[in-house]
Amino acid sequence: MWLINSSIGRKVVMSVTGIALILFLTFHCCMNVVALFSGEAYNMICELLGANWYAVVATLGLAALAVIHIVYAFILTAQNRRARGSERYAVTDKPEKVEWASQNMLVLGIIILLGLLLHLFNFWYNMMFAELTGMATPLHPADGFGYIKLTFSNPVFVVLYIIWLVAIWFHLSHGFWSAMHTLGWNGKIWFNRWKMIGLVYTTLLMAGFLIVVLAFAFGCAPSLCCGA
């Protein structure tokens, strides 16, 4: 099948899965922003998305997209390294028109993967996984607001999440327009437009996540009502 066996097919798979993950990040960011205004509303969303069958199915689908995206990223990187052969060891000047993110996508990807594992441990493991298995947790599995406060009360986690978000920003700022280019939605005019749209969109997206992290880190987030 050309999507698996050809270089162009693999890039198409990377682009489609990447766009799907960006859409999920958009939903996740909107959900997180709710926590800046109401802990009760945020926990209502967490309870709605808890261990219900549709949430579990969506999580499995999301995990499949992430795994496919990561696997294909390593395959394409290895393929590009083989294509360059011994030339990759030669000392050359840095191409002026090649973005830093483009040259370091593998490094950024590894940082993002490590950050994802940390994020899954801090939240998914203590929430959906705990609810499914019935294991004991520091807080109620549906108390997402409490887990946000607990996580970002730790300065080490705050720093690690900021590094993670910066890495995601670099990755997406290049990946967004690159995906559009691969899918053929480009041209002399739209190439630069997609780059600008991607830069603005990913900046706003990561800024949303960053604001939540900093708000909870510095105690600017709302509190749950006493009766909640």
Side-chain angles (χ1 to χ4, degrees):
M1 186 177 181
W2 72 277
L3 287 174
I4 299 175
N5 299 325
S6 71
S7 176
I8 295 178
R10 295 187 188 112
K11 289 181 179 179
V12 169
V13 172
M14 277 280 292
S15 299
V16 172
T17 54
I19 292 172
L21 291 172
I22 290 175
L23 292 176
F24 167 75
L25 286 175
T26 303
F27 165 77
H28 196 358
C29 181
C30 293
M31 175 180 169
N32 283 7
V33 169
V34 172
L36 294 176
F37 301 95
S38 172
E40 291 82 2
Y42 183 79
N43 279 353
M44 285 178 61
I45 298 174
C46 290
E47 188 172 358
L48 179 66
L49 298 176
N52 300 298
W53 69 267
Y54 48 83
V56 173
V57 170
T59 300
L60 292 175
L62 179 64
L65 287 172
V67 169
I68 292 172
H69 191 79
I70 292 169
V71 169
Y72 271 65
F74 278 102
I75 291 175
L76 286 170
T77 300
Q79 176 183 302
N80 291 336
R81 288 176 66 86
R82 284 196 302 269
R84 289 198 302 269
S86 60
E87 291 182 3
R88 67 177 183 269
Y89 299 108
V91 178
T92 58
D93 294 331
K94 179 180 177 181
E96 294 182 0
K97 295 185 178 181
V98 177
E99 296 178 349
W100 181 87
S102 177
Q103 292 185 317
N104 296 275
M105 288 296 274
L106 180 60
V107 175
L108 292 172
I110 292 174
I111 295 174
I112 293 170
L113 178 58
L114 293 175
L116 176 61
L117 294 176
L118 175 65
H119 186 63
L120 290 175
F121 174 76
N122 284 334
F123 293 95
W124 179 82
Y125 177 75
N126 287 305
M127 297 177 71
M128 180 179 285
F129 182 79
E131 189 173 348
L132 288 171
T133 61
M135 73 177 199
T137 55
L139 303 171
H140 189 278
D143 188 9
F145 187 80
Y147 278 111
I148 294 179
K149 292 183 66 175
L150 180 64
T151 300
F152 298 125
S153 64
N154 186 331
V156 174
F157 283 147
V158 173
V159 173
L160 290 177
Y161 269 80
I162 291 175
I163 294 173
W164 186 40
L165 293 174
V166 171
I168 295 176
W169 180 84
F170 274 112
H171 189 81
L172 294 185
S173 63
H174 169 77
F176 186 95
W177 67 261
S178 180
M180 297 302 177
H181 177 74
T182 298
L183 296 175
W185 298 338
N186 58 2
K188 292 183 178 179
I189 296 177
W190 274 100
F191 180 78
N192 290 325
R193 287 180 179 177
W194 280 126
K195 292 188 71 172
M196 181 56 65
I197 291 172
L199 180 62
V200 172
Y201 188 82
T202 55
T203 298
L204 292 175
L205 186 60
M206 290 301 104
F209 283 110
L210 183 60
I211 289 171
V212 173
V213 172
L214 296 178
F216 279 86
F218 290 100
C220 302
S223 300
L224 286 172
C225 295
C226 296

